[in-house]
Amino acid sequence: MTAQTQDPLEARLRDLFDRQANAIPVSARAASDVPITGVSDVAEHTRSRWTRGGNDPTGPRERRDRRKAGALALIGAAAIVAVIVILVALTSGTTSRGPAHPGGSTTAQPRAITFSLRPVLSMSSPPCSGSTTAGSGDARGCYTLGDPIVDLADVQSARAIHFSGAQWAVSLQFTKAAAPRFINAMQANVGRSVAFVIDGQVVLAPLVNPGITTGSTTISGALDEQAVKQLAARLNKPHPPRPTPNTASAVVVSPAIGSTGIVAFNGLQWKVGAQRDGSNVCVGVTRTTGSPGNADSLLGPGGPGRCHPCV
Amino acid sequence: VTDASEVAQALSRESFEDFYERAWPGAVRLAGLLTQQHRFAEDLAQEAFARLFPRWARIENPAAYLRTTVVNVCRNWRARDRNERLKMERIDVRDAVDLAFDELADAVAALPFRQRAVLVLRYYDDLSETEIAETLRCRPGTVKSLAARALKTLERVVER
């Protein structure tokens, strides 16, 4: 049965949902909470999905597998470094400096960071000569790098993700335009290394595995939680503003006793009513979009309207 | 954004930021009603927006897409959490609304996810059967039977 005949159960359900909905806090958060990063305990189950695009070993399924995956990631990161160290070749190459595409990385970016992903042409041990790029952390060494494959302007979003324990990584999603470029480059570089260059330093130079078919990847390694979160925030596009909290104080309504009125707020229509109940005055507010008439049911003794003694 | 119609669509549509701001409270409330737990409602809504964001340029009906995403996020979350579903968490919504002994609220919270989702979408969001079917990615007939089962359960509780 649809909405014409308001059977009692239906009316009670509407009333229940309205009350529950109004009781759900809709708060504002600090601007530093990057919405698109959205990492919280509750989002834990989806993390594996976010990272599946890259060569991340995290399985999509079991919660307990993630612990193993974290350990694997650790071992994997160590293996990558070992492989790079073993594969040291002393070729001299040119380090290109320009952006991957004209006008790319330097367009009005409030993100004070430089980022590019470049193929590693060769690697040598420190001290680094002028034409090489120094690595830090797990990626210590001197790298001779090819042209950038993608850079900051190609980053659609960046997220901090948590594997387990102290294992954190930054998950990068590239833009629609850049994704094919990234995928092609990864396929062309299978078995070779690519370098994540951030602020002029190679922070990670993983070996490219076959099977990168989506425009996302992860940066992990010897990065702690704080470093990962900062990195993700800096790589991220400036995020949308947090919506303002839905507080009743934002609207001042003074319905006449015994009448109801409609106000528009938060993109919805709200019905406001006031009614006298003995020596009390009761005020009810309800969303009217689609289900008119509820305000009336909110009023009156025992209803969920707010009643105050008359002053 | 590749072809002209997509460009036109992208230009004529509101920005993600505006939509985010406008649709945020609704998404949080929907997540709270679907999961019957307000503690995580914002996180779940946030998750939905995060999924929406990369696809923004290609989404034709943002409101419907958001709704489906919120439902999916909440459903997956429930599935994950089934073992740890605590009565405590259900009480969250109730406490705040002063419904401590509302048998209907209890019964709604105890419904299987899809049955509750149909009720919420129908009585809170006032969606039609077709819209609910699209949101839940099922046939209208399924919506009908889910609703019938849910209402039957609730009727039994209310009349007792």
Side-chain angles (χ1 to χ4, degrees):
Chain A
M1 292 292 105
T2 42
Q4 283 101 14
T5 52
Q6 283 260 342
D7 84 289
L9 179 58
E10 191 174 304
R12 281 186 66 181
L13 281 170
R14 284 183 192 280
D15 177 54
L16 173 71
F17 289 149
D18 271 345
R19 280 187 290 152
Q20 289 189 333
N22 287 334
I24 293 165
V26 184
S27 66
R29 289 182 200 173
S32 57
D33 282 345
V34 182
I36 305 308
T37 305
V39 173
S40 63
D41 287 339
V42 76
E44 196 175 25
H45 69 277
T46 56
R47 277 181 207 145
S48 49
R49 204 168 312 153
W50 285 341
T51 60
R52 211 188 297 160
N55 44 8
D56 181 319
T58 313
R61 292 266 161 205
E62 297 297 324
R63 199 173 278 247
R64 59 179 173 276
D65 279 1
R66 224 173 299 122
R67 286 209 190 98
K68 282 187 224 154
L72 276 178
L74 249 179
I75 297 162
I80 287 165
V81 174
V83 169
I84 293 166
V85 173
I86 292 162
L87 291 179
V88 170
L90 293 165
T91 330
S92 69
T94 49
T95 315
S96 112
R97 304 209 134 241
H101 40 84
S105 63
T106 48
T107 50
Q109 290 292 348
R111 299 174 271 183
I113 187 172
T114 64
F115 163 76
S116 60
L117 178 63
R118 302 168 171 213
V120 175
L121 302 179
S122 70
M123 204 194 145
S124 60
S125 29
C128 301
S129 69
S131 65
T132 58
T133 307
S136 64
D138 274 358
R140 264 184 300 275
C142 305
Y143 297 80
T144 305
L145 304 172
D147 287 341
I149 299 160
V150 287
D151 61 29
L152 192 61
D154 301 317
V155 176
Q156 169 84 56
S157 64
R159 295 187 184 91
I161 53 171
H162 184 215
F163 293 123
S164 74
Q167 275 297 297
W168 285 78
V170 177
S171 162
L172 290 179
Q173 174 82 45
F174 296 113
T175 58
K176 200 174 163 186
R181 190 149 30 92
F182 169 74
I183 294 163
N184 289 342
M186 290 303 103
Q187 283 165 355
N189 281 289
V190 168
R192 286 189 284 256
S193 298
V194 290
F196 289 88
V197 188
I198 291 166
D199 286 342
Q201 281 205 322
V202 176
V203 296
L204 186 74
L207 208 61
V208 178
N209 287 342
I212 295 181
T213 52
T214 64
S216 64
T217 183
T218 56
I219 306 177
S220 62
L223 299 171
D224 62 12
E225 176 179 353
Q226 206 190 354
V228 160
K229 282 185 171 168
Q230 280 178 0
L231 191 56
R234 292 174 70 199
L235 285 170
N236 228 330
K237 286 211 159 66
H239 53 80
R242 268 275 157 186
T244 48
N246 180 9
T247 52
S249 61
V251 187
V252 179
V253 216
S254 51
I257 304 289
S259 76
T260 55
I262 303 278
V263 287
F265 178 57
N266 265 357
L268 293 171
Q269 287 206 321
W270 303 78
K271 197 167 192 177
V272 183
Q275 188 172 292
R276 195 152 186 156
D277 171 31
S279 59
N280 290 333
V281 64
C282 302
V283 182
V285 179
T286 187
R287 192 183 63 131
T288 62
T289 314
S291 56
N294 273 11
D296 302 327
S297 68
L298 281 175
L299 298 174
R306 299 272 173 270
C307 298
H308 306 278
C310 290
V311 185
Chain B
V1 179
T2 47
D3 68 51
S5 66
E6 274 189 51
V7 173
Q9 199 195 355
L11 289 177
S12 64
R13 253 238 319 270
E14 70 180 314
S15 69
F16 179 80
E17 286 80 356
D18 288 345
F19 176 73
Y20 183 61
E21 191 164 345
R22 188 171 61 83
W24 171 254
V28 173
R29 299 209 169 91
L30 179 58
L33 291 178
L34 289 171
T35 56
Q36 291 286 302
Q37 307 183 7
H38 72 213
R39 214 194 306 167
F40 299 123
E42 290 199 323
D43 289 317
L44 292 162
Q46 185 68 356
E47 169 74 21
F49 278 105
R51 288 194 196 176
L52 200 80
F53 180 66
R55 305 184 179 91
W56 181 248
R58 280 165 287 157
I59 295 170
E60 275 177 28
N61 184 345
Y65 197 100
L66 176 68
R67 204 156 49 218
T68 304
T69 311
V70 169
V71 169
N72 286 338
V73 168
C74 293
R75 171 158 53 190
N76 293 341
W77 184 64
R78 291 303 286 184
R80 276 278 147 191
D81 240 45
R82 195 157 289 151
N83 297 333
E84 299 145 42
R85 204 184 300 162
L86 301 174
K87 279 183 187 157
M88 285 296 292
E89 293 177 336
R90 258 186 241 145
I91 293 168
D92 267 4
V93 172
R94 294 190 324 194
D95 278 355
V97 211
D98 219 45
L99 295 171
F101 297 104
D102 189 325
E103 78 278 21
L104 182 62
D106 280 346
V108 168
L111 285 175
F113 180 84
R114 296 213 306 165
Q115 292 187 23
R116 183 169 53 254
V118 167
L119 296 186
V120 169
L121 294 171
R122 181 190 273 190
Y123 298 125
Y124 180 70
D125 268 350
D126 289 301
L127 297 187
S128 71
E129 216 148 70
T130 327
E131 287 170 315
I132 297 173
E134 279 162 13
T135 302
L136 295 178
R137 304 239 190 278
C138 64
R139 281 169 304 151
T142 313
V143 173
K144 221 174 260 183
S145 75
L146 284 170
R149 258 181 287 160
L151 290 175
K152 203 171 160 195
T153 308
L154 296 183
E155 253 154 33
R156 232 177 299 145
V157 171
V158 172
E159 275 157 24
R160 201 163 49 198

